Amino acid sequence: MSRKFAATREPISIVTACDENYVPAATAALLSAASSVDSKRELDLYVLDGGVNAESKARLERSCARLGRQVQWLTPNLDAIRDLPVSHHINHSTYLRLLLAELLPARVSRAIYLDADVVVVRSLEELWKTLLDEAYCAAVQDAFLPVLDPADVFDHPLQCQVVSNHDPRPIANYQELGLSGALPYFNAGIMLVNVERWRREQVAARSVECLRTNAAHVRFWDQYALNVLFTGQWKQLDARWNQSSDVFQLPSWQRSHYSVAEFWQVRRDPWIVHFNNLPKPWDANCVHPFRGLFFQQLEQTAWARGRPSQPHTSLSKAA
């Protein structure tokens, strides 16, 4: 049996990360992920612990146990990332994914990473079958900032270029780094990760070094480092594996990198819904068209209280 095929028969490893504020959302994300997979399929669930208290851990574990799934907690060294830049509603938990290869058991060679603010719609068994070969990861090209320099690539303006006060370059110093503006840029909220390669090539240490060295230019936090390090060495997934909230900010396909068919496909038929922008689905003013999917999953957790008119206290803090 080839190594490529054997990898798909490993237990499916799913990893998310959260702090205390995001535990309810992370639980909903894990339940949606576990529910998407046949109950007879081996599945390992991991949570990178960004500061979750014992009671919340127990509630998350109880929620997953209802599906017959156990959760393993991974404890990172938070001191290793405390000095990295954060802004807006993002805190240091966003950097935890950089450390996953160092914390996962040695037997894990690949894993699906999911942000805590997602709902899985399609079976993750299909994503798991993606062959990585030697790619660092498989991910989705960013909906809003698809390449390092849109002006260098497209003969029509993208939405990111016409929005005022919005730099359309996700890696502003890409030229200084010796990169091409035509290189695609991925969203790191959903990734099929080549854990073996990350571990072998010390992605954690190299990412942190990249972020510290280029601190003045870092935008979108961990994504900056991953896109710099993985340039030309990541595999592009169907956009439906990461339907970011940004697709609903695009006024038309003409202001995007999508074809007209791809534009409507990703808006109407998501395989994973990623609530990556504010307001979040638990915010009272959220009008996201797939908001209801989040509450369907939340109702299956130990945080089930019905659909609130106001956000849960912990979720409100997370926003």
Side-chain angles (χ1 to χ4, degrees), residues 21-312:
N21 291 332
Y22 264 89
V23 181
T27 307
L30 286 177
L31 285 189
S32 72
S35 298
S36 79
V37 175
D38 188 291
S39 60
K40 296 179 181 178
R41 183 70 164 88
E42 286 188 86
L43 178 66
D44 293 330
L45 301 177
Y46 299 93
V47 181
L48 293 158
D49 181 5
V52 180
N53 68 43
E55 179 184 352
S56 293
K57 285 183 178 179
R59 293 174 79 179
L60 184 151
E61 290 167 4
R62 276 201 313 275
S63 300
C64 293
R66 294 174 185 173
L67 294 178
R69 303 297 190 179
Q70 294 183 325
V71 176
Q72 299 178 58
W73 295 87
L74 305 175
T75 305
N77 175 13
L78 298 179
D79 289 337
I81 56 175
R82 287 193 199 282
D83 66 318
L84 299 181
V86 293
S87 54
H88 308 298
H89 64 288
I90 299 297
N91 62 33
H92 286 92
S93 291
T94 192
Y95 292 110
L96 294 178
R97 78 197 72 189
L98 301 179
L99 311 177
L100 65 83
E102 309 299 318
L103 297 170
L104 285 167
R107 62 179 173 77
V108 177
S109 65
R110 64 210 308 263
I112 295 173
Y113 175 82
L114 301 174
D115 269 353
D117 53 0
V118 310
V119 173
V120 177
V121 180
R122 195 178 184 93
S123 173
L124 289 181
E125 292 191 66
E126 296 184 38
L127 176 57
W128 189 250
K129 292 175 183 176
T130 302
L131 297 179
L132 285 172
D133 300 316
E134 278 302 301
Y136 279 106
C137 70
V140 171
Q141 190 171 8
D142 196 83
F144 197 69
L145 300 163
V147 297
L148 299 193
D149 193 343
D152 190 44
V153 177
F154 297 94
D155 58 6
H156 63 280
L158 302 191
Q159 182 68 0
C160 60
Q161 294 171 270
V162 299
V163 174
S164 60
N165 301 319
H166 212 307
D167 189 338
R169 300 171 303 159
I171 300 175
N173 64 329
Y174 74 87
Q175 291 175 312
E176 297 170 35
L177 296 171
L179 305 177
S180 164
L183 287 168
Y185 174 85
F186 66 87
N187 182 286
I190 292 99
M191 296 182 287
L192 177 60
V193 177
N194 187 340
V195 177
E196 191 173 63
R197 186 174 184 187
W198 282 36
R199 195 181 285 130
R200 183 174 70 245
E201 299 190 12
Q202 301 181 317
V203 164
R206 291 168 58 213
S207 295
V208 171
E209 176 65 22
C210 174
L211 290 163
R212 287 174 177 155
T213 301
N214 298 283
H217 305 285
V218 171
R219 184 181 179 195
F220 304 120
W221 318 286
D222 52 288
Q223 279 185 186
Y224 178 97
L226 294 176
N227 274 275
V228 169
L229 294 182
F230 299 172
T231 179
Q233 298 186 72
W234 60 277
K235 179 171 285 190
Q236 192 164 321
L237 293 172
D238 188 302
R240 287 172 289 184
W241 282 118
N242 187 348
Q243 184 215 57
S244 77
S245 301
D246 292 312
V247 301
F248 299 108
Q249 307 303 317
L250 302 175
S252 67
W253 70 271
Q254 290 97 333
R255 291 278 184 85
S256 75
H257 71 288
Y258 300 117
S259 68
V260 62
E262 291 169 334
F263 178 77
W264 291 111
Q265 195 175 52
V266 71
R267 283 170 65 104
R268 293 171 174 170
D269 181 30
W271 295 348
I272 298 179
V273 179
H274 187 189
F275 302 100
N276 59 307
N277 288 343
L278 296 176
K280 298 292 187 179
W282 50 83
D283 292 324
N285 61 333
C286 179
V287 294
H288 194 291
F290 290 98
R291 183 191 190 207
L293 292 180
F294 169 77
F295 286 104
Q296 286 177 22
Q297 292 301 321
L298 191 67
E299 282 300 306
Q300 306 306 311
T301 75
W303 281 271
R305 301 178 186 176
R307 187 183 181 117
S309 57
Q310 297 294 327
H312 295 308

